[in-house]
Amino acid sequence: MSRRALTLLLAGFLVLALGVVGAFRPVPYVVLSPGPTENTIGEVDKKPVIAINGRQTYPTTGALSLVTVAYQGGPAAQIDLLTALRGWIDPTVAVVPQETIFAPDRTQKDVEEENTVEMTNSQDSATAAALTELKIPFSMVVTVLSTEKGKPADGKLQKGDEINSVDGTPATDTNAVSNAVKAHKPGESVTFNVTRGKERLDVTVQTVSAKGQPQVGVVMQAKYKFPFDVDINVGDVGGPSAGLMFSLGILDKLTPGELTGGKKIAGTGTIQPTGEVGPIGGIQQKMVGAKDSGATVFLTPADNCAEAMKAVPEGLRLVKADTLHDTVLALDALRTGKGNVPACEAG
């Protein structure tokens, strides 16, 4: 073999070796793919997803399914370049920069814990929204779930504190508390009036800047006092985006007749206790998951409609969801064939 041929062979081998090594190097991206669906009026592991005790319930049929997004990657388990490339080719998944999900100052454990808290809050908000729709009275208090280590609230606010007001503004829900804090500039002080045990006291906390926004580092939970028990079991699912479907599942069980008309309906959207439906992430992957589960109708938050219309799977009908009340009316119209069914429109 000539020296030139040997050189080319060795160079080719080195390029191939470097390519193979490079393909398996970790990269700071996360792959998002369609996750599992759960029927909120069905069962998980032979247990009802929604169990109601202390109030009359009614039989249901069909499906009101929540949809999820599975992710691969993250600070603790970065994907390799080959996995990212496969994701870029697959139209049903998305490959996004790691920092869009895991902020530089937050670990994977922090994000997972936050998702768990958001899921718990979502379940409570969903119950509150359903009871509000049914005009069933209940009460609510905002409590401190935890404080972030090193942040201003650490050591001042305590787990279990009931927040009555912030700078005199009543703590009607967690959003009211957040908005009262955000009304300040970073560096200004905020006064929390809290009930701790049997004592009511004022706690002053100085805000700090987090991406230009004021923050004190408190994790809150809205604790509702409902007139009966509503237990929600979805296994290892986190985040707030199942709120709308939880509310619909609760409503379906608490009212005669069937919201679905026996159809398989899936959907997504955060929910406020007052019934407003909010936008979510991963809409494309959630629609694919809905279609794969057999759903023919997909309840879509109004703010996600334009994005959803760009990639809606064939055979899946998108129904716009602005509020819980409007969504119930839309389901009634779908079931009876009478009335308006609000559709998503391209932006």
Side-chain angles (χ1 to χ4, degrees):
M1 182 180 295
S2 68
R3 179 177 293 181
R4 182 179 180 185
L6 181 60
T7 301
L8 289 173
L9 181 63
L10 288 174
F13 176 77
L14 285 173
V15 170
L16 178 61
L18 288 172
V20 171
V21 170
F24 291 98
R25 286 183 61 83
V27 291
Y29 288 91
V30 174
V31 175
L32 305 178
S33 58
T37 62
E38 296 292 355
N39 180 11
T40 60
I41 53 176
E43 295 184 342
V44 172
D45 296 330
K46 298 182 179 180
K47 294 181 180 179
V49 173
I50 298 173
I52 299 174
N53 297 297
R55 186 87 175 189
Q56 182 177 0
T57 59
Y58 300 87
T60 60
T61 63
L64 287 167
S65 296
L66 62 88
V67 287
T68 64
V69 174
Y71 75 85
Q72 185 180 2
Q78 286 189 320
I79 61 172
D80 55 44
L81 180 59
L82 190 60
T83 301
L85 289 172
R86 285 199 299 263
W88 276 313
I89 295 171
D90 189 342
T92 67
V93 306
V95 181
V96 299
Q98 182 175 286
E99 62 268 19
T100 61
I101 297 177
F102 302 95
D105 60 340
R106 298 185 69 75
T107 66
Q108 193 154 337
K109 182 179 179 182
D110 289 336
V111 172
E112 289 171 355
E113 288 178 348
E114 184 176 302
N115 283 340
T116 299
V117 171
E118 287 180 338
M119 171 57 81
T120 301
N121 287 341
S122 174
Q123 292 172 0
D124 287 342
S125 294
T127 304
L131 268 59
T132 298
E133 176 70 14
L134 295 172
K135 297 181 172 53
I136 299 174
F138 60 91
S139 59
M140 185 275 295
V141 293
V142 177
T143 65
V144 174
L145 190 63
S146 65
T147 56
E148 296 181 43
K149 190 173 182 180
K151 294 291 178 69
D154 187 23
K156 290 193 172 183
L157 293 173
Q158 298 180 9
K159 181 178 180 179
D161 283 352
E162 294 184 0
I163 302 174
N164 305 308
S165 63
V166 182
D167 292 331
T169 301
T172 53
D173 54 33
T174 56
N175 284 331
V177 175
S178 295
N179 291 336
V181 173
K182 290 177 181 177
H184 289 267
K185 295 179 180 178
E188 293 181 345
S189 294
V190 181
T191 300
F192 293 82
N193 181 267
V194 303
T195 299
R196 184 175 297 164
K198 295 182 179 181
E199 186 180 8
R200 188 162 176 153
L201 64 155
D202 288 329
V203 179
T204 300
V205 182
Q206 188 175 29
T207 62
V208 293
S209 178
K211 295 183 178 180
Q213 295 294 319
Q215 186 187 83
V216 297
V218 60
V219 179
M220 300 171 290
Q221 182 177 11
K223 293 188 69 174
Y224 294 90
K225 298 179 180 179
F226 299 120
F228 49 87
D229 293 331
V230 179
D231 294 319
I232 300 178
N233 164 46
V234 286
D236 189 22
V237 175
S241 64
L244 171 62
M245 302 313 293
F246 287 145
S247 288
L248 291 172
I250 294 166
L251 275 171
D252 203 9
K253 289 199 164 195
L254 287 175
T255 53
E258 300 165 341
L259 282 178
T260 66
K263 294 181 179 179
K264 288 188 175 182
I265 295 170
T268 187
T270 63
I271 195 78
Q272 294 298 320
T274 48
E276 289 83 5
V277 177
I280 51 80
I283 188 70
Q284 182 177 348
Q285 289 71 45
K286 290 179 177 178
M287 289 190 298
V288 172
K291 183 65 167 34
D292 289 346
S293 73
T296 56
V297 174
F298 188 76
L299 305 175
T300 312
D303 289 342
N304 288 118
C305 270
E307 180 186 1
M309 287 295 292
K310 296 175 182 177
V312 56
E314 185 178 353
L316 192 65
R317 180 178 182 179
L318 302 189
V319 174
K320 183 171 67 173
D322 272 312
T323 67
L324 177 61
H325 181 71
D326 289 343
T327 305
V328 171
L329 293 180
L331 290 176
D332 287 343
L334 278 171
R335 186 181 65 255
T336 62
K338 301 177 181 178
N340 178 52
V341 180
C344 278
E345 297 178 356

